[in-house]
Amino acid sequence: MSRIGQTLEALRSQQRTALVPFITAGDPHLDATVPALNALVQGGADLLELGVPFSDPEADGPAIQASSERALANGTGLRDVLDCVAEFRAGNDQTPVILMGYLNSVLAMGEGAFATAAAEAGVDGMIIVNLPPEESDSLRGALAKQGIDLILLAAPTTSDERLSAIDRAATGFVYLVSLKGTTGADHISIGEVKQHLARLRARTRLPILVGFGIKDGPTARALGKQADGVVVGAAIVSRMAALSADTDAIPETLRQFAHDLRQALDA
């Protein structure tokens, strides 16, 4: 079982919901990435999601799009992201790290070469936003050889037949997109998300984590009662952006925000 599976299984046995913060590697600069990851763990994060900057992140809203633009302007590439994971992993061999990005970056390196480099860095899972399950066999095979989970996304509009296909192709967990839209949206409906969760739960053997639109403790807690984990991204990225002129303040700000989210989930 992967580090992701072990972590989620342990949390389930404790009847706790996984807290999964997201940041973009290289934003606001590369030296801020690893301290931010460490601070999030100190605040109570169970898994970490690290964004790979990309020039056309069509699934992301304004906050995360801007974070990618800043990271790319700083020259952050895929190998820099892997270097950040390796640096983090040197001091933490327990917390799973999941990369979230787009297939274009992986194909530019080559699936086999990427899978090997990611495993050497200490990556545990991959979320490829623009990779449909029908076209995932090749990359899934390359990642599986290295013990890396390929995590697929399900949306509110995903058909029951396609949910079953996602279940067959995914490993680690299924990422449920909470709404029709992009990351950071502010129109999330708790009732609708719970309905989507129930429908997906009936069609997957895997844990389900929910993301998109979760910005605060009350929302995380409401969804955490039904999901195995919650992903919080735009709210964290926005806090980092607000501190871009005072990056020394970023770690404590993130630690406190993660702590508040963790308390809400555990309440």
Side-chain angles (χ1 to χ4, degrees), residues 205-247:
R205 72 204 187 280
L206 295 169
I208 302 170
L209 274 62
V210 181
F212 287 46
I214 302 173
K215 296 184 175 183
D216 53 33
T219 308
R221 182 183 179 188
L223 292 178
K225 294 177 181 179
Q226 308 292 326
D228 297 289
V230 296
V231 182
V232 182
I236 294 173
V237 167
S238 296
R239 282 167 168 77
M240 295 181 72
L243 294 170
S244 59
D246 184 19
T247 54

Side-chain angles (χ1 to χ4, degrees), residues 186-265:
D186 57 6
H187 54 278
I188 187 170
S189 167
I190 301 298
E192 290 182 4
V193 177
K194 288 181 178 180
Q195 292 177 4
H196 300 316
L197 271 165
R199 188 166 68 93
L200 177 55
R201 185 76 71 190
R203 291 166 178 81
T204 184
R205 72 204 187 280
L206 295 169
I208 302 170
L209 274 62
V210 181
F212 287 46
I214 302 173
K215 296 184 175 183
D216 53 33
T219 308
R221 182 183 179 188
L223 292 178
K225 294 177 181 179
Q226 308 292 326
D228 297 289
V230 296
V231 182
V232 182
I236 294 173
V237 167
S238 296
R239 282 167 168 77
M240 295 181 72
L243 294 170
S244 59
D246 184 19
T247 54
D248 289 342
I250 287 176
E252 177 55 25
T253 298
L254 298 193
R255 187 203 65 77
Q256 185 60 55
F257 185 49
H259 174 73
D260 293 344
L261 291 169
R262 181 74 267 165
Q263 284 198 316
L265 288 170

Side-chain angles (χ1 to χ4, degrees), residues 8-180:
L8 293 176
E9 186 175 275
L11 288 168
R12 178 179 289 182
S13 70
Q14 300 164 15
Q15 298 184 323
R16 299 177 72 224
T17 303
L19 172 59
V20 189
F22 168 96
I23 65 170
T24 300
D27 175 48
H29 57 73
L30 203 57
D31 290 343
T33 300
V34 175
L37 294 175
N38 286 323
L40 290 166
V41 173
Q42 292 164 9
D46 301 294
L47 301 88
L48 294 167
E49 195 175 302
L50 185 60
V52 179
F54 183 58
S55 58
D56 187 23
E58 64 263 24
D60 293 309
I64 295 180
Q65 283 187 18
S67 73
S68 268
E69 291 170 2
R70 289 189 295 268
L72 291 171
N74 292 334
T76 304
L78 181 53
R79 292 194 179 277
D80 297 308
V81 178
L82 295 177
D83 287 343
C84 286
V85 177
E87 182 182 345
F88 170 79
R89 188 60 73 212
N92 183 322
D93 62 358
Q94 298 295 319
T95 306
V97 176
I98 302 157
L99 298 188
M100 186 169 189
Y102 293 79
L103 185 60
N104 314 56
S105 304
V106 174
L107 294 180
M109 183 180 288
E111 291 179 350
F114 168 76
T116 298
E120 290 174 351
V123 172
D124 299 288
M126 283 296 305
I127 300 172
I128 305 292
V129 178
N130 58 343
L131 176 65
E134 298 86 355
E135 299 175 16
S136 65
D137 287 355
S138 178
L139 180 57
R140 184 173 68 253
L143 294 174
K145 289 179 182 178
Q146 301 295 337
I148 298 174
D149 287 321
L150 178 61
I151 296 143
L152 297 179
L153 294 94
T157 54
T158 303
S159 67
D160 291 349
E161 181 180 6
R162 192 171 178 82
L163 289 179
S164 297
I166 289 170
D167 174 62
R168 291 191 297 270
T171 58
F173 61 87
V174 177
Y175 189 129
L176 176 62
V177 176
S178 66
L179 44 78
K180 302 173 187 177

